Amino acid sequence: MKIVPFSTTLQFQQESQRAVRNTGFAESAVWAVFATSSVISMLFSLSQIALH
């Protein structure tokens, strides 16, 4: 299992914000979905670690 370091998360947020600024609404909506799914998977893996 992969554990995501916190710095990577911050970097990802900055990159996504930059992407939203540079592109239109459709692209930012895709980014929002991607960010949400990655956060959910991160929380899921954290809960898996906590359970074991």
Side-chain angles (χ1 to χ4, degrees):
M1 181 164 13
K2 229 173 22 175
I3 299 175
V4 182
F6 189 64
S7 57
T8 310
T9 311
L10 288 176
Q11 200 173 11
F12 171 74
Q13 287 176 343
Q14 288 172 345
E15 286 293 323
S16 57
Q17 284 171 1
R18 198 174 303 133
V20 167
R21 263 185 247 118
N22 291 340
T23 56
F25 177 73
E27 297 253 344
S28 64
V30 172
W31 267 101
V33 171
F34 179 66
T36 306
S37 62
S38 61
V39 166
I40 289 171
S41 63
M42 205 159 51
L43 288 173
F44 180 72
S45 60
L46 283 175
S47 66
Q48 289 293 323
I49 294 166
L51 287 174
H52 291 298

